[in-house]
Amino acid sequence: MARKTRLTGFALSAVVAGTLLTGCTSDDESLTYQTDYSNHRPLRVVGYPSTGSLETVQTAVWRLADRDADGLAALAVDDTHADATARNWVKAFGAAAKGDVTAEFYDEGSVRQVVVLYFAKSNQIKEIEARVGEDDSWGLTLAEPDPAEATAKPTWAPPRPGRSGSRTSGAPSGS
């Protein structure tokens, strides 16, 4: 019977050690994403995003809603104007990002995707570009250091999402 207790004790020790090791190697990015997801309104999506473009745009909207210019700038694929652009975007769209936001994804998203954000609370519209950077990870083009440029409404985008038929390569653009 003592032998059985030792095996049970050994088995229990192995389970505890495995749990501790798993806890020590938890994926911080996954935990951050889950926390962000539960703390923010869901992003409404029109079109065909790639996994990378969708995650990047969703994170950008969360950073806007949190008024986190540093977090938004961290998504930049080029640091040249990232800080100034992020501050401009947070100032212009931060309050509206707390409400309903629809992202319309245009074109095919293997390495780059144009996205139009529609902020329901303020009726603002913002064109952004998600793309793969030099490190092969998705990010944003943050190159609007002039506040007027950062807040300019795209001239080509429809006034409401889904009106122009977002498109992907190989799929008809809708007539």
Side-chain angles (χ1 to χ4, degrees):
M1 198 158 232
R3 184 167 168 71
K4 186 174 183 181
T5 303
R6 283 188 206 160
L7 287 176
T8 303
F10 177 76
L12 182 60
S13 296
V15 169
V16 169
T19 302
L20 290 174
L21 287 174
T22 302
C24 291
T25 61
S26 69
D27 185 4
D28 288 339
E29 286 183 30
S30 176
L31 186 58
T32 300
Y33 184 85
Q34 290 172 6
T35 302
D36 276 339
Y37 187 85
S38 64
N39 288 338
H40 296 90
R41 297 180 72 87
L43 180 68
R44 296 172 185 203
V45 175
V46 177
Y48 302 95
S50 69
T51 302
S53 66
L54 177 59
E55 183 177 344
T56 300
V57 170
Q58 177 68 83
T59 302
V61 172
W62 290 337
R63 297 302 161 258
L64 286 170
D66 293 342
R67 295 182 175 266
D68 180 5
D70 291 338
L72 184 59
L75 295 173
V77 291
D78 179 0
D79 292 339
T80 305
H81 299 291
D83 292 330
T85 301
R87 284 191 305 275
N88 289 336
W89 287 10
V90 166
K91 184 176 180 183
F93 306 105
K98 290 185 179 288
D100 289 334
V101 179
T102 300
E104 185 159 7
F105 291 78
Y106 286 85
D107 301 318
E108 112 22 78
S110 61
V111 294
R112 183 182 75 81
Q113 211 158 18
V114 172
V115 182
V116 178
L117 299 176
Y118 293 87
F119 299 93
K121 186 175 181 179
S122 64
N123 289 319
Q124 291 172 290
I125 301 173
K126 175 67 185 151
E127 175 187 352
I128 64 174
E129 180 185 68
R131 68 181 179 92
V132 175
E134 291 179 13
D135 63 353
D136 290 331
S137 65
W138 279 88
L140 295 177
T141 302
L142 294 170
E144 300 171 339
D146 176 20
E149 182 184 8
T151 58
K153 189 176 189 177
T155 57
W156 62 271
R160 291 190 309 245
R163 299 293 176 181
S164 66
S166 53
R167 57 203 180 277
T168 65
S169 63
S173 62
S175 301

